[in-house]
Amino acid sequence: MSPEAAAPPKVPPKLNPVRVPIAEEPLPERTGDFREVLHAYSKEDAVLEAKRCIQCRRPWCVEACPISQDAREYIRLIAAEDFDGAAKVTLREDPLSTCLCKVCYHYCEDACVVKKKGVPIAIRHLKRVALDYGKSDLVYVPSKPKGQRVAVVGAGPAGLMAAWELGVRGYSVTVYEQEERLGGLMQTIPAYRMTDADVEVDRARFKDLDVTFVTGTKVGRDFPLARLLEEGYPAVFLSIGTSAHRALRVPGEDLAGVIPALEFLTETNRGRPMAVGREIVVVGGGDVAMDSVRSALRLSGGGRVTLVYRRGREEMPADPEEVHGAEREGIRFVFQKAPVRIVGSGHVEGLVVQSVELGPPDAGGRRSPVPVSGSEETIPCDTVIVAVGQRADLDGFGPELDLEITPQGWPQGRRKGFETGVPGVFSAGGRSVVYAMGSATEAAEAIDAYLSARRGEPPSPRPDPFGGEGTFHLPAGYTAPIRS
Ligand SMILES: Cc1cc2nc3c(=O)[nH]c(=O)nc-3n(C[C@H](O)[C@H](O)[C@H](O)COP(=O)(O)OP(=O)(O)OC[C@H]3O[C@@H](n4cnc5c(N)ncnc54)[C@H](O)[C@@H]3O)c2cc1C
Ligand code: SF4
């Protein structure tokens, strides 16, 4: 028999479709306060879960990640019980790991090959394991100073990522933030999912980078953007996100008891929860609506919380994990009802809604709601929380920036590398934490190329952020990142 004939046939690795369960706080106790809902894996469970990963030759999980996080590698290290190694791999590409291990929408899991047969690898929870059990109090090391300054406006995920990308390359970065705290919209995420402390843990790793945070300063109000360019910042990154509330624009929105969701969530996180009644209606179908219904339930002292959404369940943009969590906690969902007006004398007494039918898909592929005449009804309630989206606050920023406003409302530069109409000013952000970080990486690379050209040097690829030799990037062909 020839050696070829004797070789065993190639057997594709067997996929184990069953995920090691992730423990949760029990019901109904958890809805009485803001304790964390999901528990971390034990070391033993984490190793078992990591061993389900078949270490794909072409890792779809990495390919799907906007920041090209090498999840395959940290999972391999966890399976080998090398938690320190796993923590280092995680933090090497993701400076906001402590936040993302709790709130990332895990596009990696949606892409994981195991999903074809069952439940994908719990990649996000394994990231948490790497940080919890590995040495994660590492500090980033800047490379040789470049002698150039960059201003970043807005300290949300995009601004923090750009500051990190530029800081490790040796730029001197000043981040201006209008609020007193860093994190942008992550500051509104309820404490049962993540807390301010998580942002602080990530920020602590920046301490040796030449990154200065100036909080309580609103660019465009406290001083004009142009002043940054005039005063020694040859490049500016605008990552102002979507910090403003979008109103429902129906009669009665000024009644007492109508609350904008961002304010509601922010005040709750600051320990100053706004008064809610016992019959609460939340309008919206995205993640802000999900966080609002679950927070309102926790503050209502056993009240009833109803979510009203104008499209159907399939069209809801919210993360399915959050929808599932809300359902389990007893939130009532009312689909295909559009708010018409809010009624009450001085204070909310009801939300008038109208049934809608779903018409043909719009440009974004979602079916547009068509009102059904004569179908009005009133949902009695004493509180209405409006969670129908956010918009950028562009006060103080002029048309010369020529910003594009994306369908989800955040501003970005229209040119290559997210450059705006003003040379040296770049702008990006995103519809999720990791997408915002991915777009900031692209903008930071463009800023580095722009500034390097001014110095007459080639662009500097991202160095090893822990001060190791050479530059750090995944080998060519390892994966092709997708970006928003
Ligand atoms: C309630 C809620 C829950 C969410 N849950 C998740 C989740 O679980 N997972 C997920 O991935 N995403 C989630 N998101 C979305 C995510 O938070 C955003 O996509 C992300 O924060 C966008 O980042 P960004 O940096 O582009 O903008 P932002 O986070 O909006 O940050 C912009 C920053 O710029 C500051 N700023 C604005 N204008 C100025 C100015 N003129 N001068 C100085 N500073 C200024 C703002 O104060 C803010 O800090 C959630 C959003 C909300 C509201
Ligand atoms: S796609 Fe899934 S199975 Fe493949 S390497 Fe990534 S996590 Fe492992």
Side-chain angles (χ1 to χ4, degrees), residues 288-351:
V288 183
M290 277 327 118
D291 285 342
S292 299
V293 284
R294 296 178 76 184
S295 295
L297 180 68
R298 283 159 172 77
L299 293 172
S300 69
R304 192 156 79 135
V305 185
T306 303
L307 180 114
V308 172
Y309 181 51
R310 64 190 182 133
R311 291 185 165 96
R313 177 181 294 270
E314 285 69 44
E315 286 81 15
M316 275 177 102
D319 181 13
E321 220 173 278
E322 294 307 312
V323 178
H324 178 66
E327 276 175 331
R328 288 201 59 214
E329 289 174 5
I331 305 299
R332 188 167 75 109
F333 285 74
V334 174
F335 292 111
Q336 293 187 225
K337 301 278 181 198
V340 178
R341 61 186 170 278
I342 303 168
V343 290
S345 47
H347 197 282
V348 176
E349 288 166 20
L351 175 72

Side-chain angles (χ1 to χ4, degrees), residues 458-477:
S460 46
R462 185 196 292 164
D464 179 332
F466 299 114
E469 285 299 307
T471 59
F472 178 74
H473 48 83
L474 294 175

Side-chain angles (χ1 to χ4, degrees), residues 392-456:
D393 173 2
L394 293 172
D395 274 5
F397 299 109
E400 67 282 4
L401 287 167
D402 186 27
L403 293 169
E404 173 190 355
I405 305 297
T406 62
Q408 289 89 354
W410 76 87
Q412 62 183 30
R414 314 176 181 268
R415 294 159 184 77
K416 191 164 174 279
F418 296 110
E419 194 166 15
T420 69
V422 176
V425 179
F426 298 73
S427 179
R431 63 181 154 95
S432 68
V433 174
V434 76
Y435 262 102
M437 292 167 70
S439 68
T441 294
E442 202 168 319
E445 283 165 0
I447 290 171
D448 174 61
Y450 175 84
L451 294 176
S452 300
R454 284 173 65 126
R455 296 192 306 275

Side-chain angles (χ1 to χ4, degrees), residues 127-172:
K127 173 179 275 198
R128 179 168 180 180
V129 161
L131 299 172
D132 280 2
Y133 303 129
K135 183 170 167 40
S136 57
D137 58 347
L138 302 172
V139 173
Y140 293 118
V141 179
S143 53
K144 204 167 134 260
K146 293 262 192 296
Q148 275 172 314
R149 297 160 80 202
V150 181
V152 171
V153 182
L160 293 173
M161 185 69 175
W164 178 77
E165 286 279 5
L166 295 162
V168 294
R169 284 175 169 84
Y171 289 99
S172 174

Side-chain angles (χ1 to χ4, degrees), residues 1-131:
M1 205 191 287
S2 74
E4 286 84 2
K10 271 199 175 157
V11 183
K14 225 173 159 198
L15 301 181
N16 173 355
V18 183
R19 179 180 278 188
V20 177
I22 296 160
E24 290 187 10
E25 276 292 293
L27 282 163
E29 291 86 340
R30 76 179 193 213
T31 59
D33 54 35
F34 282 79
R35 71 182 80 169
E36 200 172 2
V37 167
L38 298 182
H39 295 195
Y41 275 139
S42 66
K43 274 188 183 175
E44 295 70 27
D45 280 355
V47 170
L48 276 179
E49 178 64 10
K51 284 184 173 165
R52 285 209 301 139
C53 167
I54 58 164
Q55 293 288 303
C56 305
R57 213 154 66 89
R58 182 180 171 191
W60 290 358
C61 51
V62 185
E63 209 161 297
C65 176
I67 58 167
S68 300
Q69 169 85 79
D70 194 353
R72 178 180 69 175
E73 182 60 2
Y74 73 66
I75 295 171
R76 185 185 72 77
L77 291 164
I78 291 170
E81 299 184 39
D82 178 358
F83 296 101
D84 286 351
K88 196 162 182 184
V89 167
T90 300
L91 293 165
R92 191 178 65 187
E93 290 131 18
D94 176 8
L96 302 183
S97 285
T98 305
C99 298
L100 276 181
C101 77
K102 295 185 178 170
V103 302
C104 189
Y105 291 146
H106 48 67
Y107 308 110
C108 50
E109 293 181 21
D110 295 338
C112 172
V113 71
V114 180
K115 198 175 173 190
K116 287 186 173 183
K117 291 279 175 198
V119 188
I121 309 298
I123 304 175
R124 187 182 78 191
H125 289 273
L126 290 176
K127 173 179 275 198
R128 179 168 180 180
V129 161
L131 299 172

Side-chain angles (χ1 to χ4, degrees), residues 100 102-105 107 153-159 176-179 181-186 188-190 193 217-221 239-243 262 265 287-288 291 319 322 390 393 395 397 410 428-436:
L100 276 181
K102 295 185 178 170
V103 302
C104 189
Y105 291 146
Y107 308 110
V153 182
Y176 293 93
E177 167 56 52
Q178 63 184 3
E179 302 293 339
R181 295 166 194 254
L182 311 183
L185 288 179
M186 289 195 299
T188 61
I189 298 180
R193 298 210 284 131
T217 302
K218 184 172 183 181
V219 177
R221 178 195 65 193
S239 45
I240 57 174
T242 52
S243 55
L262 282 190
L265 294 169
D287 295 300
V288 183
D291 285 342
D319 181 13
E322 294 307 312
Q390 294 90 242
D393 173 2
D395 274 5
F397 299 109
W410 76 87
R431 63 181 154 95
S432 68
V433 174
V434 76
Y435 262 102

